[in-house]
Amino acid sequence: KQWYQRRVRGQIGWRREGIKYRRNELFLDVLENVNLLMNAQGKVLSAHVSGRVVMRSYLSGMPECKFGMNDKIITDNKDKENNSATDVVAKKKNAGIAIDDCTFHQCVKLSKFETERSISFIPPDGEFELMRYRTTKDISFPFRIIPLVREIGKTKMEIKVVLKSNYRPALLGQKIEVKIPTPQTTAGVNLFCNKGRSKYKSSDNAVVWRIKRMAGLKEAQLTAEIELLPSTENRKWQRPPISMNFEVPYAPSGLKVRYLKVFEPKLNYSDHETVKWVRYIGRSGLYETRS
């Protein structure tokens, strides 16, 4: 009842009245974590993207914002009470981004989302999370790891790893780290890589390969020659997966911001006068390749 009365009086619980800024600005970040488990032959065993749309709003008055993603969105939303929408499918001309589920901040007008297919809201002041979503289809994987493990007798092993970047050549991936597990009986490692730096960490039983930056559609290679201590055990080494960390300037789910509009009829500023910034950041979640 109190919520209903607040709405009737025109009050909004998440934003106070009388906010003023010299310069009206809106920052929108699409932040995604891409998770992957791939086998050595390149077959995807499991994958999903967890995404968030985070905004920082520095707008005067009581503005209404409209945010649109990848053309038309079709949703079947039956759960208004907890502000969630399920089965969202955004269709592009050739390919579609299929969002399995998403949840919105309380400021989003779900009725407008259902009827107009746009996300309409009066934003809180400062930073807030506009929406959260998850997708499992048509993911663009930023990197592919191709491993080759060769056992040379009982005391030597060679691991070759080819790293391929799958994004557009104009983009730069950064903070790239590949962790290659080694057997517990490792006595010494000789490393050769044509890009970045690599070192053997005995405390982790792994080779860590770091590359500061890598352009799209490029390839890098690392070779590890491993000397093993003689072992009386006949048990074969159960190879743990090779894991990766990285950051790329695009959304692996394919989500794109089509428009971001601001309306404030009471104060004399227009959508064109509002400075808007949109940024995409894709990061690794659990990103693994079996060797």
Side-chain angles (χ1 to χ4, degrees):
K1 196 175 177 183
Q2 284 178 341
W3 174 86
Y4 177 74
Q5 285 172 346
R6 245 196 351 253
R7 282 286 175 122
V8 169
R9 291 192 202 117
Q11 293 174 348
I12 291 164
W14 57 86
R15 188 181 178 91
R16 63 182 173 84
E17 291 194 23
I19 295 170
K20 281 188 180 176
Y21 286 100
R22 271 186 175 182
R23 177 174 149 124
N24 290 296
E25 285 187 292
L26 202 53
F27 296 81
L28 187 148
D29 286 346
V30 176
L31 307 173
E32 294 194 342
N33 278 13
V34 56
N35 300 273
L36 169 71
L37 178 60
M38 186 180 269
N39 71 9
Q41 289 73 44
K43 186 185 176 185
V44 175
L45 303 175
S46 69
H48 75 271
V49 168
S50 299
R52 299 186 304 137
V53 176
V54 175
M55 296 190 80
R56 278 172 293 146
S57 158
Y58 307 110
L59 301 171
S60 304
M62 280 286 177
E64 182 156 327
C65 300
K66 274 193 176 181
F67 163 65
M69 310 177 289
N70 297 49
D71 297 330
K72 290 180 183 176
I73 299 165
I74 303 154
T75 181
D76 177 19
N77 174 37
K78 290 170 183 164
D79 193 358
K80 292 181 186 179
E81 291 191 3
N82 70 355
N83 247 25
S84 74
T86 56
D87 264 353
V88 182
V89 179
K91 288 188 177 177
K92 293 191 276 184
K93 282 181 185 175
N94 300 320
I97 159 174
I99 295 179
D100 298 317
D101 59 77
C102 60
T103 53
F104 295 108
H105 187 277
Q106 61 174 338
C107 68
V108 173
K109 296 174 182 174
L110 284 183
S111 57
K112 286 204 172 186
F113 183 64
E114 290 168 347
T115 54
E116 296 176 18
R117 314 305 185 206
S118 70
I119 297 166
S120 186
F121 58 98
I122 293 170
D125 190 42
E127 187 171 319
F128 67 102
E129 189 181 277
L130 179 68
M131 68 178 282
R132 226 166 235 244
Y133 58 93
R134 189 176 185 275
T135 180
T136 53
K137 292 178 185 137
D138 301 317
I139 297 166
S140 167
F141 300 111
F143 293 97
R144 163 96 194 270
I145 287 174
I146 303 165
L148 181 67
V149 180
R150 197 161 61 100
E151 293 181 29
I152 308 157
K154 289 190 174 181
T155 57
K156 279 191 179 179
M157 179 181 282
E158 186 184 74
I159 301 176
K160 277 188 180 178
V161 175
V162 175
L163 178 66
K164 289 185 175 184
S165 55
N166 296 328
Y167 40 89
R168 287 188 291 118
L171 301 177
L172 274 178
Q174 55 184 353
K175 300 175 187 173
I176 299 158
E177 184 182 278
V178 182
K179 196 172 183 181
I180 304 148
T182 60
Q184 289 185 333
T185 55
T186 298
V189 181
N190 287 323
L191 293 168
F192 311 91
C193 59
N194 63 359
K195 194 170 179 63
R197 290 184 175 188
S198 60
K199 66 176 178 180
Y200 169 61
K201 290 182 82 172
S202 56
S203 56
D204 293 349
N205 277 316
V207 169
V208 179
W209 180 20
R210 291 190 178 101
I211 299 170
K212 280 187 181 176
R213 282 177 292 274
M214 191 169 177
L217 300 181
K218 295 285 181 188
E219 200 173 286
Q221 190 169 311
L222 174 138
T223 302
E225 292 176 354
I226 301 166
E227 286 181 36
L228 304 170
L229 294 168
S231 175
T232 52
E233 287 185 31
N234 288 325
R235 249 188 337 176
K236 202 174 178 187
W237 177 48
Q238 297 297 312
R239 301 172 189 169
I242 295 168
S243 59
M244 259 198 96
N245 290 318
F246 56 80
E247 191 175 286
V248 289
Y250 77 95
S253 72
L255 187 142
K256 284 192 172 65
V257 177
R258 291 295 182 219
Y259 59 85
L260 183 59
K261 292 176 182 175
V262 180
F263 307 92
E264 219 307 349
K266 287 183 184 175
L267 299 175
N268 198 19
Y269 74 88
S270 69
D271 177 59
H272 299 294
E273 292 171 272
T274 306
V275 181
K276 288 170 275 191
W277 307 87
V278 177
R279 181 172 62 159
Y280 300 90
I281 301 174
R283 293 190 179 103
S284 51
L286 195 61
Y287 203 89
E288 296 182 330
T289 302
R290 288 180 179 165
S291 58

